[in-house]
Amino acid sequence: MGSGNRHRKVKLAFEATSLRIPLADIITIREVQNAVRKSLKYGQIAASIREVGIIEPPVVVRIQGDDDQYRLLDGHLRLDILKERGDKDVVCLVATDDEAITYNKRISRMATVQEHRMILRALEKGASEERLARALNVNIGSIRDKRRLLDGICSEVVQLLQDRIVPINTFRELKKLRPLRQIEVADTMIAMNRYSWPYARSLVAATPQNQLVSEQRKSIRGLSDEQIEHMEREATNVDREFRMIEQSFGVDHLDLVLATGYICRLIENVRIVHHLAKHHPELLAEFQRIVQLRNAA
């Protein structure tokens, strides 16, 4: 029921129909740097647009007080590529609220699940696997693997991992598990921020036989009850330590920001700099290094 409610909220976040909007009427919230234009990711998106067109429409929101102007929430690279091509307009999804920060945190267009959905949409529109492989600069076997990515993955896990960069082999490991165990493993990977294939394989190995899909029970040699109990104790200890660090991180970070700001103000005072240079040169050098690191960031 919970996942269904979330699905309905996502639908209500957008207007019922998409709009074809002139590029000149869309205001971007960040510039695309030349270094990004030379990146592999940019080239892949450009090739995809050239081969099969825009599959994922950019997301915009109306600017209050000006019905003819829109702010871009998602799709900066796609919009930049269209401008470089000389296109004049683009079909967009129109969000009902300006949620640029939360929207971009929730959805990553390069996430594995999102790429899978993009490929399915392209295939539904008539693009061939060969054409997609050329567009994304991958071999056709990779396209076929991504097409079948979520076969055997329960919907709750799809929701959990939809904005994560997860290796295809990790999804292969998840398919060896029953749905409830899939959810447990996905939750563990998110909590530890680890999605690698070896980590997923270790979680599968630590799975009791009755939580594996039937065809995997003989091929996967599980751990003994004692080993699983020991791993669970260790995982509980690690989780407790992680949460303690997580709770103190905000306060520690704030203290660091305040201290760095104070040091920067000290260094701006000529008299203090002269005093430190004369009596504490080692402190002055350290303070100057801190200021340089802050400015570089």
Side-chain angles (χ1 to χ4, degrees):
M1 183 179 295
S3 61
N5 289 337
R6 287 196 297 271
H7 184 62
R8 286 193 290 272
K9 288 180 181 178
V10 171
K11 283 190 173 180
L12 292 174
F14 298 95
E15 294 183 5
T17 58
S18 56
L19 291 180
R20 182 171 292 278
I21 302 173
L23 299 184
D25 294 341
I26 302 175
I27 299 173
T28 57
I29 57 178
R30 68 171 185 270
E31 294 291 330
V32 176
Q33 303 298 320
N34 286 330
V36 175
R37 292 191 179 101
K38 297 176 182 177
S39 67
L40 175 62
K41 174 183 174 182
Y42 188 94
Q44 286 181 330
I45 295 173
S48 174
I49 292 174
R50 182 175 62 251
E51 290 284 343
V52 297
I54 292 284
I55 299 171
E56 290 282 353
V59 178
V60 299
V61 66
R62 297 179 187 273
I63 295 179
Q64 292 184 356
D66 191 345
D67 291 338
D68 295 327
Q69 292 285 307
Y70 301 83
R71 181 177 295 107
L72 184 65
L73 302 185
D74 181 74
H76 282 76
L77 297 189
R78 278 162 279 164
L79 202 72
D80 188 75
I81 291 166
L82 293 177
K83 289 180 179 178
E84 292 287 315
R85 282 161 39 111
D87 290 28
K88 301 301 181 183
D89 52 34
V90 63
V91 174
C92 297
L93 295 177
V94 182
T96 55
D97 292 304
D98 188 351
E99 293 185 322
I101 296 176
T102 56
Y103 183 86
N104 286 327
K105 283 180 67 177
R106 184 171 65 247
I107 298 178
S108 169
R109 292 301 168 187
M110 295 305 291
T112 313
V113 172
Q114 295 298 328
E115 187 178 17
H116 159 79
R117 290 171 175 167
M118 180 195 75
I119 289 171
L120 289 186
R121 277 191 286 270
L123 293 170
E124 289 169 0
K125 289 184 176 182
S128 66
E129 292 178 342
E130 293 81 3
R131 192 177 178 189
L132 276 176
R134 288 196 306 270
L136 299 176
N137 194 27
V138 297
N139 62 57
I140 193 169
S142 176
I143 294 294
R144 289 168 179 165
D145 286 341
K146 291 174 181 177
R147 182 179 187 174
R148 299 187 295 266
L149 179 77
L150 301 182
D151 294 351
I153 302 295
C154 70
S155 59
E156 290 84 357
V157 170
V158 174
Q159 290 291 326
L160 287 170
L161 300 180
Q162 67 176 344
D163 59 349
R164 315 280 173 166
I165 307 299
V166 183
I168 291 179
N169 282 338
T170 294
F171 281 101
R172 291 195 182 111
E173 293 298 326
L174 288 173
K175 293 177 184 181
K176 299 175 182 178
L177 308 173
R178 289 184 175 275
L180 288 178
R181 179 58 178 164
Q182 285 186 12
I183 296 171
E184 290 177 356
V185 169
D187 281 333
T188 300
M189 291 191 297
I190 291 170
M192 301 303 294
N193 195 29
R194 294 182 63 185
Y195 306 96
S196 68
W197 174 46
Y199 185 60
R201 189 168 54 177
S202 70
L203 293 174
V204 171
T207 298
Q209 289 285 306
N210 61 2
Q211 294 183 35
L212 298 170
V213 295
S214 56
E215 59 267 25
Q216 295 293 335
R217 292 179 185 175
K218 293 182 179 180
S219 60
I220 298 176
R221 186 177 61 185
L223 301 178
S224 66
D225 292 340
E226 291 78 10
Q227 289 173 315
I228 292 176
E229 184 179 352
H230 177 72
M231 288 184 64
E232 288 176 345
R233 285 199 306 269
E234 291 297 320
T236 300
N237 292 336
V238 171
D239 183 64
R240 182 171 60 251
E241 293 173 3
F242 173 78
R243 296 189 185 282
M244 290 175 62
I245 295 172
E246 188 178 38
Q247 289 172 1
S248 64
F249 175 78
V251 175
D252 293 341
H253 182 68
L254 178 59
D255 290 342
L256 178 61
V257 170
L258 293 175
T260 303
Y262 180 68
I263 290 173
C264 289
R265 288 196 297 274
L266 288 180
I267 295 300
E268 291 172 357
N269 189 308
V270 176
R271 294 177 60 188
I272 292 177
V273 171
H274 286 167
H275 176 80
L276 291 174
K278 183 177 181 180
H279 300 286
H280 305 284
E282 69 287 350
L283 283 179
L284 177 60
E286 192 64 25
F287 286 170
Q288 289 174 332
R289 188 178 69 83
I290 292 173
V291 172
Q292 289 173 354
L293 289 173
R294 185 200 188 202
N295 293 337

